[in-house]
Amino acid sequence: MGPRRNRIRIALTMLFALVGVSGAGEMPETIPVEPQSGETPSPTIADPIEPVNRGIFYVNDKLYRWVLKPVAKGYEYAVPEGVRIAVRNFFFNLGTPIRAVNTLLQGKIKDTGTELARFGINSTIGMAGLFDAAKDFHLTRKDEDTGQTLGVYGLGNGFYLVLPVLGPSSARDAVGLAGDTFLDPTTYLLDRDAALGMRFVRSETDLTFRINEYEELTDAAVDPYAAVKDVYIQYRAKKVRE
């Protein structure tokens, strides 16, 4: 059973969606536009391993179109939206330590308090986070991760990096991903197989609300690889500035 379990674990790992809890691999909710006159110019990033990155991008693209998206569409069809929202809320609540620690490290004490208050309300009134009861108290979830914290401290992107399955990233955000994994409660509360399963469900749940966004960007681009890279770097630069 050992080798078979390892194969299953590898397969689940390869099924992680392109969007995760960390900034690494995270795509924006809206596509940034080109800056107007007087605005901050679009950031640039070195891409010294572009041939390797393009190869991984190609594999990720096929994995998304042939596996991740079909699974998400089946999930969307089979599971009512209200249930999927509850599942998404549960994982948002579970990710509180990542956001709370990083707001604290960035000196955003008020935001840290907001995250802790949201966790307390949603874990109780919100029934373990299934409902976002904190929004009734006008407490808005903060979106902070370790990659952003490193950027706030002045660490640059380094070089561009496409992670297998997880997608666009940078050297800085890849390190940030390790930090976010360390802060993720599922790393400690569950065994490895259960944690993989939960992360897969979390990713596919999120994807059900964003189906076709990826294609809207890549299918209209002359060079999909460059388009995704530019959007990701603009998005992450904006998150660091916020």
Side-chain angles (χ1 to χ4, degrees):
M1 288 297 293
R4 184 171 182 272
R5 288 174 64 86
N6 288 336
R7 288 196 295 271
I8 293 174
R9 185 179 299 120
I10 292 170
L12 284 172
T13 302
M14 290 302 294
L15 287 174
F16 278 170
L18 295 175
V19 181
V21 294
S22 171
E26 180 182 357
M27 290 298 290
E29 296 180 1
T30 56
I31 298 174
V33 298
E34 290 297 319
Q36 303 297 318
S37 177
E39 294 183 359
T40 303
S42 299
T44 59
I45 186 172
D47 193 358
I49 57 170
E50 181 175 345
V52 176
N53 280 336
R54 283 185 178 273
I56 298 173
F57 175 82
Y58 177 82
V59 174
N60 285 350
D61 180 82
K62 299 307 178 187
L63 179 64
Y64 169 80
R65 295 176 187 271
W66 296 349
V67 180
L68 300 177
K69 182 179 178 180
V71 170
K73 291 185 72 172
Y75 180 19
E76 180 185 32
Y77 177 80
V79 180
E81 182 179 23
V83 176
R84 288 184 285 112
I85 290 174
V87 172
R88 184 175 63 173
N89 287 340
F90 172 80
F91 284 117
F92 279 154
N93 194 56
L94 197 62
T96 297
I98 298 173
R99 299 188 301 272
V101 170
N102 280 291
T103 54
L104 181 62
L105 290 174
Q106 293 176 33
K108 300 176 180 178
I109 307 302
K110 182 178 179 180
D111 289 349
T112 304
T114 296
E115 279 297 318
L116 294 177
R118 281 181 53 83
F119 181 76
I121 293 170
N122 287 341
S123 297
T124 52
I125 300 175
M127 298 178 63
L130 293 175
F131 302 97
D132 189 6
K135 68 181 180 182
D136 295 333
F137 296 86
H138 307 290
L139 296 171
T140 304
R141 179 172 57 89
K142 308 306 175 183
D143 184 15
E144 303 291 348
D145 57 56
T146 309
Q148 289 171 237
T149 299
L150 295 175
V152 169
Y153 283 141
L155 185 64
N157 283 307
F159 58 90
Y160 185 62
L161 186 64
V162 180
L163 300 175
V165 183
L166 295 177
S169 184
S170 66
R172 181 192 69 204
D173 286 344
V175 173
L177 176 60
D180 291 343
T181 301
F182 177 78
L183 295 171
D184 187 350
T186 60
T187 303
Y188 309 99
L189 299 179
L190 303 172
D191 63 41
R192 185 163 50 181
D193 291 338
L196 282 171
M198 286 193 68
R199 288 168 183 166
F200 174 67
V201 172
R202 175 176 58 196
S203 297
E204 287 296 290
T205 301
D206 183 71
L207 186 56
T208 64
F209 295 98
R210 309 181 69 173
I211 290 176
N212 296 326
E213 287 188 7
Y214 174 74
E215 291 91 329
E216 288 172 2
L217 171 63
T218 57
D219 291 354
V222 175
D223 184 352
Y225 170 82
V228 170
K229 178 173 69 173
D230 290 345
V231 167
Y232 177 78
I233 296 304
Q234 289 181 53
Y235 173 68
R236 292 300 289 171
K238 177 176 179 292
K239 298 302 293 183
V240 169
R241 291 195 301 268
E242 290 178 347

